[in-house]
Amino acid sequence: LRLSGAWLDAALEATPDGVAALGAPEGPGPWPVALANGAFLRLLGLAVDRLPTRAELEASVDAVFADPEGVRALLRGVEGDPAAGLEAAFETRDATPRTLEVISTPVRDASGAVAGRLLVLRDATARRALERRLRADLERLVASRTTLEQARGEVASANADLSARLDELARLNRELRELDEMKSDFVAITSHEL
């Protein structure tokens, strides 16, 4: 499958996720930023008209993330073990904090050697908020279920109590009829004798 560079550039810009490719370093230095889409640059607060240097990328990590050490550790881990695939979520320092997932995977050449890294930044704020709401809803449902089970137990207990009272009323009603019959028989005998 062959696609033109323009088509690939357009596809890269069309994704809402931030995507950057880090090329393999020439020597022991940092991995250079070889490619980045606008979403990646905007999520990190970088200029969208040019590729950032690795120093600019690291400075923006310090400025954007509430835990820049965690992100830097992820990037250092990438450099320490270039074949590792890593994923983590980090909160931002924005006025309205966001959750950004940072995904790092190796890019391999035709021989299988690691030729660079692919970094993906995904704004997971809405998904995380939805997950929190779903967890809260689940907790409320569990609490409601517990309350309903308690109420069901109380209703069952009340039904058992009512059934026992109904049985008692039926017994008393039978005794009352027997007494009424005895009274009627007594009155009939007494009036016959008189």
Side-chain angles (χ1 to χ4, degrees), residues 77-126:
V78 167
E79 292 168 359
D81 181 9
L86 304 167
E87 182 173 347
F90 298 95
E91 298 297 319
T92 64
R93 294 181 198 247
D94 298 342
T96 305
R98 295 174 295 151
T99 300
L100 294 181
E101 290 178 345
V102 181
I103 304 162
S104 176
T105 57
V107 174
R108 300 183 184 277
D109 63 16
S111 70
V114 175
R117 301 293 301 178
L118 183 66
L119 295 179
V120 178
L121 295 181
R122 180 171 294 134
D123 190 342
T125 307

Side-chain angles (χ1 to χ4, degrees), residues 10-27:
L12 187 61
E13 284 303 321
T15 181
D17 294 339
V19 178
L22 303 180
E26 297 290 322

Side-chain angles (χ1 to χ4, degrees), residues 6-154:
W7 191 93
L8 289 173
D9 287 344
L12 187 61
E13 284 303 321
T15 181
D17 294 339
V19 178
L22 303 180
E26 297 290 322
W31 296 57
V33 179
L35 174 117
N37 69 354
F40 183 87
L41 298 170
R42 281 188 293 279
L43 284 169
L44 291 179
L46 294 166
V48 295
D49 58 345
R50 64 179 180 79
L51 289 176
T53 65
R54 183 60 186 259
E56 289 171 330
L57 178 63
E58 289 179 355
S60 72
V61 164
D62 287 341
V64 170
F65 290 101
D67 177 19
E69 282 302 314
V71 178
R72 276 200 301 279
L74 182 135
L75 294 176
R76 276 194 306 272
V78 167
E79 292 168 359
D81 181 9
L86 304 167
E87 182 173 347
F90 298 95
E91 298 297 319
T92 64
R93 294 181 198 247
D94 298 342
T96 305
R98 295 174 295 151
T99 300
L100 294 181
E101 290 178 345
V102 181
I103 304 162
S104 176
T105 57
V107 174
R108 300 183 184 277
D109 63 16
S111 70
V114 175
R117 301 293 301 178
L118 183 66
L119 295 179
V120 178
L121 295 181
R122 180 171 294 134
D123 190 342
T125 307
R127 191 185 84 229
R128 293 286 172 110
L130 179 61
E131 288 171 356
R132 283 191 295 274
R133 282 194 306 270
L134 287 174
R135 269 193 297 278
D137 289 347
L138 178 61
E139 289 170 6
R140 281 194 299 277
L141 285 173
V142 168
S144 295
R145 179 179 176 197
T146 302
T147 302
L148 286 173
E149 287 174 353
Q150 289 172 346
R152 191 178 125 249
E154 290 170 6

